[in-house]
Amino acid sequence: MSEDSIAIEVRIPGLLRDCTDGHGRVVVQATTLEGAVEALLAAYPRLRIHLYDEQGELRRHILLFYNQTNFKELDDTTIPLRAGDRLNVVQAVSGG
């Protein structure tokens, strides 16, 4: 791990916590947002199939928020992390 890596909190929705050993919040270390996502998937590889489709695209019913910004709206995911940054995984659920 790089000396300038930042620890950021990642929040996991209830339906995906079986992939994170029951944890609703985990901490990953990285220098960039892209690195944080990679670190999350390295630590909890079962998340990958739930977050990404076969083409490596974020699934339609999954939203990732970097602080208050939707991951899909970012032009560059290699932005440097800062202390206090957060990543939230949101899983849209439908039904009635």
Side-chain angles (χ1 to χ4, degrees):
M1 191 59 46
S2 171
E3 285 183 27
D4 55 350
S5 67
I6 302 290
I8 69 165
E9 179 182 279
V10 182
R11 294 181 183 173
I12 308 296
L15 291 174
L16 295 178
R17 290 181 187 168
D18 62 323
C19 297
T20 59
D21 302 322
H23 301 291
R25 295 176 186 211
V26 298
V27 174
V28 296
Q29 294 260 7
T31 57
T32 65
L33 175 57
E34 184 176 272
V37 173
E38 291 172 8
L40 175 67
L41 297 176
Y44 303 101
R46 291 184 297 166
L47 276 176
R48 184 177 303 277
I49 194 166
H50 296 286
L51 301 184
Y52 292 92
D53 64 18
E54 294 76 18
Q55 290 76 39
E57 298 294 322
L58 200 57
R59 293 188 182 276
R60 290 183 343 165
H61 66 281
I62 295 293
L63 298 173
L64 291 181
F65 285 94
Y66 170 61
N67 298 323
Q68 301 299 318
T69 305
N70 186 335
F71 198 81
K72 292 178 182 178
E73 296 173 0
L74 295 171
D75 293 328
D76 184 12
T77 58
T78 61
I79 53 178
L81 295 176
R82 297 176 309 230
D85 283 347
R86 288 190 177 153
L87 184 62
N88 293 313
V89 179
V90 178
Q91 184 178 29
V93 180
S94 64

